[in-house]
Amino acid sequence: MRQRSRGLEEIEFAEQVLSSAEQSERTQQVKRAQRREFETRRDAIEGEVDVLNQRIEQLDENIAGMQAPRPNCAASSRLRRRLRPRSG
């Protein structure tokens, strides 16, 4: 199916299939089956794209969190010492 790689919304049949004056019941069945297969694959691919887009958003958030400014290590050590309960 070439339509899959071209990103089409609907399946395209060859002109000779569409224009034949007498389309047999078998031809109609094949066209229906092809249409169902195309729609099923299109829906599956759209679902995969949605999942991948969500994953991209999660990774972007992770990156933003990693790039956020971090407190000065020396200042944070002093703060921890001040907040630690004193023994004795």
Side-chain angles (χ1 to χ4, degrees):
M1 250 192 231
R2 286 176 286 152
Q3 288 80 8
R4 196 174 342 140
S5 63
R6 294 191 346 226
L8 298 177
E9 289 295 317
E10 293 184 15
I11 191 168
E12 293 177 356
F13 293 101
E15 191 62 39
Q16 62 210 37
V17 172
L18 297 174
S19 65
S20 61
E22 277 185 37
Q23 290 189 12
S24 69
E25 179 60 31
R26 178 69 182 139
T27 303
Q28 293 295 327
Q29 289 173 349
V30 170
K31 282 173 48 180
R32 281 192 295 272
Q34 287 293 306
R35 206 172 267 120
R36 278 193 305 272
E37 180 181 348
F38 177 85
E39 290 168 356
T40 300
R41 288 182 181 195
R42 183 195 60 210
D43 293 345
I45 290 169
E46 287 173 357
E48 287 180 39
V49 168
D50 289 343
V51 168
L52 292 172
N53 283 330
Q54 289 173 0
R55 185 69 179 133
I56 289 169
E57 287 177 24
Q58 291 171 345
L59 292 171
D60 285 344
E61 289 173 9
N62 288 351
I63 291 169
M66 290 178 190
Q67 292 175 340
R70 296 199 172 121
N72 180 322
C73 289
S76 110
S77 291
R78 284 192 302 270
L79 179 61
R80 277 196 300 266
R81 278 194 302 262
R82 283 193 299 174
L83 295 175
R84 227 182 268 149
R86 295 187 182 190
S87 328

